[in-house]
Amino acid sequence: MLKAVILIGGPQKGTRFRPLSFEVPKPLFPVAGVPMLQHHIEACAKVPNMKEILLVGFYQPNEELTRFLSNAQQEFKISIRYLQEYAALGTGGGIYHFRDQIVSGSPEAFFVLNADVCSEFPLPEMLSFQKEHGEPNSFVILGTTANRKQSMNYGCIVENEETSEVMHYVEKPSTFVSDIINCVGGPPPVRGDAIRLEQDIFTALAGQGKLYVYKTLSFWSQIKSAGSAIYASRLYLNQYHKTHPERLASNKEGGPKISGNVYIHPTANIDPTAVLGPNVSIGTGVTIGAGVRVRESIILHGATLQDHSCVLNCIVGWDSTIGKWARVEGTPSDPNPNDPYAKIDSETLFRDGKLTPSITILGCNVTIPSEVIILNSIVLPHKDLNRSFKNQIIL
Amino acid sequence: MDEDDDDDDDDDDDDDDDDDEDDEDGLTCDLVSPQLGIRISLSHEREPLGTAGPLALARELLTVDNEPFFVLNSDVICDFPFQEMLLFHQNHKKEGTIVVTRVEEPSKYGVVVFETDGGRIHRFVEKPQVFVSNKINAGMYIFNPSMLSRIQLRPTSIEKEIFPVMAEEGQLYAMELQGFWMDIGQPKDFLTGMCMYLQSLRQQAPERLRMGPGFLGNVLVDPTAQIGENCTIGPNVTIGAGVVLEDGVRIKRCTVLKGARVRSHSWLESCIVGWSSSVGQWVRMENVTVLGEDVIVNDELYLNGANVLPHKSINDSVPEPRIIM
């Protein structure tokens, strides 16, 4: 039988996801209409013989997490348990700490996934790859290709092309090592009893005949900042054509005009003169008025977009309201579309003393008045704005 | 240069016969307008003759009889109180009358110092550093034809070379303008002047303004314009002939020139939309964005203070003011 371990981190991690992470733990943030973690769980549940999924992290148990877990268990008919670390134990430490839980039942192998990535999760392919190459006790890491410049932001894998063995592994080198990068994810800062999967374990195993890399051409991206959630949404929405076509909206009589890939929750109320997409996710109970335009955005539950408003490259927080003719716009930070190996940049918030143009984020319960423009700004929760803002963080 | 005293509020095409003469300095066009019932002559400078020289060039037209003639600066908007001006001029019986207007920041202009009682002008002070007067030259004059002998046919500044001499001789008087006034040479000031004009229209001829659901404040709409559903237009908007505003458009403090189209759900404030231009859907334009003739602004863009030269197609937002050539 097989198991999967998903590292979900904790509130100290993922601070780049604020203010969205104030309302909901990052792993539960909806990407392409469903919680981030659900994509991982769906992929795991599809692997034949997968018997248990263990979530390892240091979030305190909360209502949303518990509810999500019990719903997921019911839906996928698979054991899903949350193992809470007493402290941030690092990507390896959590696995080591809960090793008894992981090996109980004698699984033949277990997958380790990082919650803050979006991927096609080619798990069955990894499994067959592992059976073909190397000895039964070898490890396989999922690798993908990055461009030279960006590869140094990740864990770099030097591969023996014939055997696919990992000869050398370096985490975030300062000089170019390889353009094949590790898909598990990045390591957190080191604490006392923390063990880092990448630095401590992969590096040691490299070149010992124990570590192999399965290179994938399928999509992969980290989800560190709110902007990358929109990029990840796009990747998943596109994947829905294959995996969940029922989740994609289509042009219907009396419905809004749909362009490209759009997810609309059934409880959303949308005027037929609205134009949505490409790359739009509309959450539960959202109201969208006449002549509204939404593109490359995530509209979270309960939000209201009034007539003629225009929302571009933006995340609109839960229960927020956007007034008539308002324009709420961000700047996409997408990887270069002409470079097939480019990855999304984790931009710093400020550059040269100014806020870097990025996706506009409205926290929960934000009110944007009519006829204003909110451009490249981050609005913290429960704000009632009274004028236009550009390139600002509004506390 | 047009030298006649008709109203300038309608932009109508004259049904006229053009009598084009040869291309020398001087008279190149002479016609009678049936609608207005007056004769329009065109005096063409081959080289710029300043603010006084052109009067000398048109001497023949201006000395047909001994009656005084008006001189107007074309980029000025006001009520044009011509009767008042004429009466004032005939009253003091001297050679020239300058209309002055009161401004809040006189140091940006040339100010006029004159007797409050009677209006005799003493002197002019250009851009004064300390407060001298808050009355400036409003760009409208009446002169007796005899004053033309003061002007030579060469580039001459009426303010610098002619007026000071006339004032010295006690021949120049100032009449204070009562109503609104604006120099509309710059787009920003043009829009301010437009607002003033519309306000004056509300007082003088409110029936010309468009009222009703969807219209706020002072709005002037050409009868041939088409306005869609759920639009909110105004305050302070003028819509030209053949303009099309699609559904859900919001326009404030703008001039939309002949033949332009604003597509649905767009939002415009403080803009000038040029003749035959097209503004796409869900566009936001503000902060004295000016589109020249035949400009296309594509859907979903944001233009902030963009100055777009004619025949351009705009495909990217302009988040900070700049000129697009």
Side-chain angles (χ1 to χ4, degrees), chain A residues 273-275 290-293 295 308-310 312 324-327 329 371-373 375 388 390-391, chain B residues 229-232 247-250 252 265-267 282-284 286 299-302 304 317 319-320:
Chain A
T273 57
V275 177
V292 170
R293 180 82 183 92
R295 197 182 80 203
H308 318 297
S309 53
C310 185
L312 311 172
K324 290 188 181 196
W325 281 292
R327 183 182 180 97
E329 181 180 5
E371 304 189 32
V372 299
I373 176 168
L375 179 65
S388 295
K390 296 184 201 168
N391 307 298
Chain B
E229 314 253 305
N230 301 315
C231 292
T232 302
D247 295 347
V249 162
R250 177 87 183 90
K252 301 194 269 200
H265 315 296
S266 285
W267 186 94
W282 290 288
V283 167
R284 182 184 175 97
E286 59 181 350
D299 297 341
E300 300 166 32
L301 298 180
Y302 170 53
N304 173 22
S317 286
E320 290 303 316

Side-chain angles (χ1 to χ4, degrees), chain B residues 123-134:
Chain B
R123 66 185 199 284
F124 300 86
V125 184
E126 192 63 24
K127 295 190 179 47
Q129 296 297 322
V130 295
F131 184 88
V132 171
S133 157
N134 59 7

